[in-house]
Amino acid sequence: MLGLKTQESDKFNKFWELVQEKASEQDKVFFADCGEGNILETSDLECEDMRGWLIPKEKSKEFETEWQQDQVSDKWTGFIFWAEWSENARNIEIRFKTY
């Protein structure tokens, strides 16, 4: 699945689709680095805040090459974001934040 290196459960993949939909609204792709807690698991969904890179689509192929090789250069540091989820009226919302 785009932006993930590992095989995940169907429930997590459903959450990941929400993350990528939110990134796509900004004409970007989110590439995962690691989970950051804030876990929710329901009968059909598994959520976790994620740290990674929010990359403009036009640069995503260039970034993906480095990311796949685990050799992400410092030039991508400004693209590090956290994808944080929250539940609002029984819907899961994704927000990208930097710290």
Side-chain angles (χ1 to χ4, degrees):
M1 182 162 279
L2 180 62
L4 291 174
K5 288 184 184 176
T6 58
Q7 182 69 34
E8 301 295 337
S9 70
D10 289 341
K11 294 192 300 184
F12 184 84
N13 287 339
K14 185 175 176 181
F15 164 70
W16 194 251
E17 288 175 11
L18 297 174
V19 171
Q20 292 299 3
E21 285 173 13
K22 188 67 172 185
S24 185
E25 289 174 9
Q26 300 176 31
D27 206 27
K28 297 181 180 176
V29 178
F30 190 74
F31 292 87
D33 183 27
C34 62
E36 293 287 339
N38 189 26
I39 297 169
L40 169 71
E41 187 169 351
T42 68
S43 61
D44 65 340
L45 191 66
E46 185 179 320
C47 304
E48 182 174 7
D49 290 349
M50 302 293 293
R51 181 169 57 108
W53 296 267
L54 188 60
I55 304 295
K57 284 184 180 177
E58 68 271 6
K59 296 181 179 188
S60 64
K61 293 294 182 195
E62 176 187 358
F63 175 81
E64 188 173 17
T65 300
E66 292 183 26
W67 176 75
Q68 286 288 355
Q69 297 171 358
D70 293 322
Q71 296 182 357
V72 176
S73 66
D74 290 342
K75 77 178 191 176
W76 303 104
T77 300
F79 297 93
I80 294 173
F81 280 77
W82 279 253
E84 298 180 347
W85 69 270
S86 62
E87 191 171 15
N88 183 2
R90 301 192 58 100
N91 290 319
I92 299 298
E93 294 185 15
I94 309 297
R95 290 192 178 91
F96 295 107
K97 296 184 176 183
T98 60
Y99 292 97

